[in-house]
Amino acid sequence: MNENKKYTDSGIEIKQLYTADDSASTNRELPGQFPYTRGVQADMYRGKLWTMRQYAGFSTAEESNKRYHYLLSQGVMGLSVAFDLPTQIGYDSSHDLSEGEVGKVGVAIDSMEDMERLFDGINLENVSTSMTINATGFILLAFYVALAKKQGADLKKISGTIQNDILKEYAARGTYIYPPKPSMRIITDIFEWCAKDLPKWNTISISGYHIREAGSTAVQEIAFTLSNGKAYVQAALAKGLDINVFGKRLSFFFNAHNNLFEEIAKFRAARRMWAKMMKDLGATDEKAMMLRFHTQTGGATLTAQQPLNNISRVTIQTLAATLGGTQSLHTNGYDEALSLPTEEAARIALRTQQVVAFESGIADTVDPLAGSYFVENLTNEVEQKAWELVNKIDVMGGSVSAIEQGFMQDEIARSAYDYQRNIENGSKIIVGVNKFTVDKETPIPGFKIDDSIRQLQIDKLNALKAKRDQTKVTACLAAIEAAAKSTDNLMPLVIDAVENYCTLGEVSDCLRKVFGEYK
């Protein structure tokens, strides 16, 4: 690229000067009105601030429960649960493949008993919970519903989100179990069941976050995410579901990186694109066309070198998300390139959101950067480039096809390679990494998980299996297997199974027998 020219991280050229001629096309749009470029609410944060979440989960359910109570006491408005790898890919802690991973990157949840411990002292009617879980999302949702019922909660009032976005697992992250088609069937079963029984629950969080973490550009992040969203909508329509009903419960999950203006333009463009997509797919209810999204600051932008610099990065990313109109936000701890966040790092991350909300003035007016010649032009440019990719995927037969052909994976890998090469040749400056380095780093105490956690989980599992009704367990698992071979909705049977203390691994294995595993 020409050294005298400037580009965004997506390769969009930035002019030295922008004038009214660069943004003439969008000056009549209003927030809360189609196509929602300027926000999904007419009053945005003047009516209600974004939900401040802190993503947490580690070790055992008891340890994570202590962190949740701490975060709630510090002003968190919603919980966000991280699960360990065995839980994400459907293995109990006692499985051979779980060794070395139990409780490491999130909390270990093997059974309904663990779920009871995780939310001990927390009223599920009063808190919104987001669960970052995909292949086993239906089982974790079943645990949550079973616990709500046990608490005597009104399921019509239970609110939260399961990520439940399996397509991005094939494209970018890898925690899948079953092949794409049966995985899509499970997702539409969730849509159908929640529409009737859990109406306030967001049934999917279509995720660009992990696509970005894998190395995509901002343009690829929204193009691939919206294409995946389109595939889910088409699958639900094919099942005969009403787009105006399930469409209102679709949510999105995006990444916030350091290129402030490109990130703001990305969020604005994504809303406009989704509104047009949903309208083209047959939505007539305005709420079914609104792109509502959670944001997490960019994990891949955090540096192990001079980690306190990450506080500044997270602040810029918080500004990008809120100026871009997010509905919910998690801010990363400054030490997360080194370990799970310490309590201090989690508190500073939450305080970053609170300072922006209450001291910066950002929340005082809707879409503060609207009308900026640069931002309006960049929103148009991001949108145009993203549509080009969406149209390519459509020609290939949609997201499932594009993933099966390796198109998304190849595009992401190419962008990741280019980005890394630019860091190594110095054309992309990362402060403290390839410029402004120090000879000696001050060590930061990390947060480590002990390997003994696995034995604790195994002991709990053994105790549970010794006291549960094995006849009921066998009957529940047989019913799930039979339903998987038919077109019956799996959700009621999975809820019944977890209420009878079938484990996560047992339910997952039951479906492995019918669906097989994706290789």
Side-chain angles (χ1 to χ4, degrees), residues 111 113 459-468 501 503:
S111 71
E113 275 192 347
D459 293 345
K460 284 190 238 174
L461 271 168
N462 291 339
L464 172 72
K465 287 177 179 179
K467 68 185 179 189
R468 68 186 184 177
Y501 294 95
T503 70

Side-chain angles (χ1 to χ4, degrees), residues 495-509:
I495 293 166
D496 189 40
V498 303
E499 285 178 325
N500 284 291
Y501 294 95
C502 294
T503 70
L504 171 121
E506 288 168 338
V507 175
S508 299
D509 284 347

